[in-house]
């Protein structure tokens, strides 16, 4: 369980991952706003891509609570790579699975750190 606060009232293990995810989303949204304010032309390809990354980042933060860390990382990587690395389906699939599984093994197995379980916890 990754709660925001520990039983002693201090910051808990769930605080840091959520702050990183929310900060990523907020900074991407600010970058989109700042770019739009600087050049008020119609939405360029860069802005569309940035807006999509903002939406995917927000969906990732929400997915952590619903489907857990590993599945949400795989889904986020797959969607982001499909957007940013078009046409390389095999490479995208390998990266979308290998990197989250590597992070899962690093944190869960080697460092013995908790990962978000989600509403449908995985058996491993």
């Amino acid at each position: 369980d990754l709660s925001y606060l520990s039983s002693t009232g201090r910051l808990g293990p769930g605080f840091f991952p959520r702050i990183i995810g929310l900060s990523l989303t907020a900074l991407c949204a600010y970058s989109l706003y700042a770019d739009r304010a600087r050049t008020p032309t119609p939405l360029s390809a860069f802005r569309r891509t940035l807006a999509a990354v903002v939406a995917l980042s927000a969906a990732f933060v929400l997915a952590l609570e619903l489907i857990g860390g590993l599945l949400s990382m795989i889904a986020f990587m797959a969607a982001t790579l499909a957007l940013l690395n078009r046409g390389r389906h095999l490479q995208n699939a390998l990266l979308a699975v290998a990197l989250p599984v590597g992070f899962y093994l690093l944190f869960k197995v080697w460092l013995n750190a908790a990962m978000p379980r989600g509403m449908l916890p995985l058996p491993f």
Side-chain angles (χ1 to χ4, degrees):
D1 179 31
L2 295 177
S3 59
Y4 289 106
L5 299 174
S6 67
S7 60
T8 61
R10 294 186 173 162
L11 295 178
F15 182 78
F16 184 70
R18 287 179 182 98
I19 289 299
I20 293 298
L22 291 173
S23 298
L24 171 68
T25 303
L27 289 172
C28 285
Y30 174 75
S31 178
L32 181 63
Y33 170 77
D35 187 57
R36 178 76 173 150
R38 188 176 42 229
T39 56
T41 59
L43 203 59
S44 67
F46 167 74
R47 290 185 188 147
R48 284 191 295 271
T49 302
L50 181 58
V53 171
V54 168
L56 288 171
S57 299
F60 172 66
V61 171
L62 294 173
L64 283 172
E65 297 292 329
L66 297 174
I67 60 175
L70 181 60
L71 292 179
S72 61
M73 283 189 289
I74 290 172
F76 175 75
M77 288 287 296
T80 304
L81 286 170
L83 176 71
L84 300 175
N85 195 23
R86 292 187 177 141
R88 299 184 142 190
H89 305 295
L90 180 61
Q91 181 183 22
N92 292 347
L94 289 173
L95 285 172
V97 173
L99 287 176
V101 168
F103 280 123
Y104 178 83
L105 292 173
L106 172 71
F107 284 101
K108 186 74 172 169
V109 176
W110 189 43
L111 297 174
N112 199 24
M115 296 283 286
R117 294 194 61 171
M119 297 173 100
L120 302 170
L122 295 174
F124 47 88

